[in-house]
Each structure stands twice: as structure tokens, then as C-alpha cells.
């Protein structure tokens, strides 16, 4: 069963882990804590350096086991995230086969991403918080699990243009909504942080920031559009989350939590 790991634990035990897990963590460390300080997500970098991040490993993202792994990690994380520091995030690395790496396009990974979130949500036994809409078209919508809302980020091996979304294995990060209590458009700190991140993002990717990147709760914001960014500026015509979640329920797909 997937268990939360700290950076310190991983440094001490990395050699005992399967090779793919060793590689995933090393590659993440080299990306987010690069000596040149080029990685655009300033809170993510600070979270890594200050040991605020927590990590987990999941099986092939197409599998039922991966769904159970993510659900178990989120359940553990929801209980402790506020004790991990103000730059909290959960990073989940998935076992990504050579088949996926060589044959999956960005469109394939996009569908896989929403499939994972939908399947995880389908086994959630706790109602979403009352202040979070279950309608993805509403500005307050955010992915929730076990009563906790999260901004969700995806990285894939297929991204080439948006290097900030490129990673050697399929990766999901879950950032608790409470992290943004001080980082938003209503605070000078938040506005300044946005300017810094946007400049670093353009420098890192070499292309303009995706037009979907807006503030949570902003009237014209569609939060789900920020979760998975394509290499170009296009977005799906409608959120795949509700469609997929309903599809799994209609098919009678059930994942048994252990």
C-alpha cells in the first residue's frame, strides 16, 4: 500500500526503492532544486527546500491499483497537510512503462489524467465541502477528496513546448486549497508572487503563459482548465471530469478501498 514519504526519508532510503522510484525522485529533485533557480513554481521550490512537500508512488496510472494508491495517499495527506508547512503539496509519481513513454501523446495523457481523478473521486466516501461547487463550470469548483479541496497539477513525458509541464514519468501534484489563503489576488504578497512566477514561467517555457492561468474564484476562471495544460493554448470544450466520473458510475465500476 502506498505510503507518504518525506524528503529526508527518501534521501536515507532511496537505494532500497525500485529503480523507477529512485529515478523519479532524483529527476524531480534535479528539476525543482536546480542550482540556477530556474524552476518557475517558487512555492514548489521553497516547499522542497524546506521539507514541506510529501511524496508518494503509485502503480501504472491505467490500473485499478493506481487509483487505490492515490486515494490512500490523499487520505493520509489530508490528515497531516497543515502540519507540513505553508508550502505544502503532495507529489505522486506513477510507474510509467516504456509503452506509455514512447506511444502516449499529450491528448492520451490528458485523458489518462482525468480518468485517474474521476476514478479516485468515484470511491470518495466523504461529501465535498459545502463551499466548493460540484459543477466544474462554477468558479469555486476544485477537485476534492476526503473533504479536502486541492489544486491539481499534471506533468507528462509528452510535453515538449511547456517544459514546466514536462516530466520523465506521469506525475500528479495536489496542493491544498488552504495554501492559497495568503497567495491570492487580494494580498500584496499574492500579487507579487504571481508576477514573479509568470516571469519565471515565460523564461522557463520560452512561450507565453497559458491563457487559462487565472486566480481561483475569479468570475471568469475555470479552475479545471489549469490542471492539465496542453502544449498549445487550446482547452477542452467542456470539463472531462464530470463526464468520466458519471461514465464509470454508469458502467458499475467500483474500486474497493482496502
Amino acid at each position: 500500500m502506498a505510503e507518504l514519504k518525506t524528503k529526508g526519508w527518501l534521501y536515507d532510503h532511496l537505494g532500497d526503492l525500485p529503480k523507477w522510484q529512485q529515478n523519479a525522485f532524483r529527476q524531480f529533485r534535479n528539476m525543482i532544486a536546480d542550482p540556477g533557480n530556474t524552476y518557475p513554481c517558487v512555492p514548489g521550490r521553497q516547499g522542497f527546500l524546506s521539507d514541506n512537500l510529501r511524496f508518494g508512488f503509485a502503480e501504472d496510472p491505467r490500473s485499478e491499483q493506481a487509483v487505490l494508491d492515490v486515494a490512500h495517499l490523499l487520505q493520509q495527506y489530508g490528515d497531516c497537510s497543515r502540519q507540513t508547512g505553508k508550502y505544502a503539496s503532495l507529489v505522486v509519481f506513477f510507474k510509467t512503462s516504456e509503452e506509455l513513454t514512447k506511444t502516449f501523446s499529450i491528448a492520451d495523457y490528458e485523458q489518462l489524467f482525468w480518468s485517474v481523478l474521476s476514478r479516485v473521486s468515484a470511491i470518495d466516501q466523504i461529501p465535498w465541502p459545502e463551499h466548493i461547487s460540484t459543477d466544474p463550470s462554477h468558479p469555486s469548483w476544485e477537485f476534492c477528496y476526503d473533504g479536502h479541496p486541492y489544486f491539481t497539477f499534471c506533468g507528462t513525458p509528452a510535453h515538449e513546448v511547456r517544459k514546466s509541464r514536462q516530466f520523465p514519468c506521469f506525475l500528479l501534484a495536489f496542493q491544498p486549497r488552504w495554501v492559497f489563503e495568503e497567495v491570492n489576488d487580494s494580498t500584496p504578497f499574492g500579487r507579487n508572487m504571481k508576477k514573479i512566477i509568470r516571469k519565471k514561467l515565460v523564461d522557463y517555457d520560452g512561450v507565453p503563459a497559458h491563457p487559462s492561468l487565472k486566480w481561483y474564484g475569479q468570475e471568469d476562471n475555470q479552475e479545471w482548465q489549469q490542471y492539465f495544460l496542453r502544449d498549445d493554448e487550446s482547452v477542452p470544450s467542456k470539463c472531462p471530469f464530470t463526464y468520466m466520473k458519471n461514465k464509470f458510475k454508469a458502467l458499475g465500476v467500483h474500486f474497493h478501498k482496502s
Side-chain angles (χ1 to χ4, degrees), residues 44 61 64 109 148 198 229:
E64 176 180 338
Y109 279 116
H148 300 282
R198 284 294 174 89
L229 296 183

Side-chain angles (χ1 to χ4, degrees), residues 4-8 28 32 42-55 77 80-91 174-176 178-179:
L4 289 182
K5 308 296 185 187
T6 64
K7 179 179 69 172
F28 182 83
I32 202 167
V42 177
R45 180 183 175 89
Q46 288 300 317
F48 182 82
L49 296 175
S50 56
D51 201 20
N52 287 185
L53 306 188
R54 293 298 179 265
F55 302 92
Y77 189 64
C80 72
S81 67
R82 284 187 178 271
Q83 284 73 56
T84 62
K86 66 178 182 178
Y87 295 113
S89 282
L90 166 64
V91 180
F174 297 89
Q175 198 166 14
W178 60 260
V179 167

Side-chain angles (χ1 to χ4, degrees), residues 184-195:
N184 57 66
D185 195 34
S186 65
T187 67
F189 177 77
R191 291 191 292 271
N192 186 53
M193 179 67 74
K194 180 181 179 180
K195 289 180 183 177

Side-chain angles (χ1 to χ4, degrees), residues 58-215:
E59 288 299 315
D60 186 315
R62 297 169 294 184
S63 69
E64 176 180 338
Q65 186 58 49
V67 174
L68 299 177
D69 289 339
V70 174
H72 188 62
L73 289 167
L74 284 171
Q75 195 162 32
Q76 297 172 71
Y77 189 64
D79 293 337
C80 72
S81 67
R82 284 187 178 271
Q83 284 73 56
T84 62
K86 66 178 182 178
Y87 295 113
S89 282
L90 166 64
V91 180
V92 182
F93 306 107
F94 290 80
K95 188 175 184 179
T96 309
S97 67
E98 188 175 350
E99 175 199 356
L100 287 182
T101 303
K102 289 189 172 182
T103 66
F104 264 45
S105 65
I106 289 180
D108 294 326
Y109 279 116
E110 182 176 41
Q111 185 173 18
L112 184 60
F113 166 75
W114 288 110
S115 169
V116 170
L117 284 195
S118 301
R119 288 182 291 154
V120 169
S121 186
I123 61 172
D124 188 6
Q125 299 175 3
I126 305 298
W128 283 25
E130 290 186 1
H131 65 287
I132 303 292
S133 175
T134 57
D135 178 3
S137 66
H138 193 278
S140 73
W141 184 89
E142 191 83 281
F143 175 77
C144 300
Y145 189 81
D146 203 33
H148 300 282
Y150 297 98
F151 175 80
T152 309
F153 169 100
C154 183
T156 83
H159 279 81
E160 295 179 359
V161 177
R162 297 190 190 280
K163 299 178 183 66
S164 55
R165 295 281 173 146
Q166 195 282 331
F167 195 72
C169 74
F170 188 66
L171 174 153
L172 294 187
F174 297 89
Q175 198 166 14
R177 174 47 48 193
W178 60 260
V179 167
F180 299 95
E181 289 172 358
E182 295 182 9
V183 185
N184 57 66
D185 195 34
S186 65
T187 67
F189 177 77
R191 291 191 292 271
N192 186 53
M193 179 67 74
K194 180 181 179 180
K195 289 180 183 177
I196 294 172
I197 292 174
R198 284 294 174 89
K199 182 182 186 307
K200 291 174 73 72
L201 185 63
V202 171
D203 291 343
Y204 195 81
D205 286 349
V207 295
H210 198 285
S212 293
L213 296 177
K214 298 175 182 177
W215 288 107

Side-chain angles (χ1 to χ4, degrees), residues 9-18 21-22 25-26 29:
W9 188 95
L10 287 168
Y11 278 148
D12 292 341
H13 299 88
L14 200 60
D16 301 328
L17 297 179
Q21 296 184 5
Q22 296 182 39
F25 179 72
R26 288 194 181 105
R29 176 194 63 195

Side-chain angles (χ1 to χ4, degrees), residues 111 118 240-253:
Q111 185 173 18
S118 301
F241 178 78
T242 302
Y243 167 76
M244 285 193 173
K245 186 177 176 184
N246 291 339
K247 179 181 176 182
F248 288 124
K249 285 186 175 180
L251 291 172
V253 177

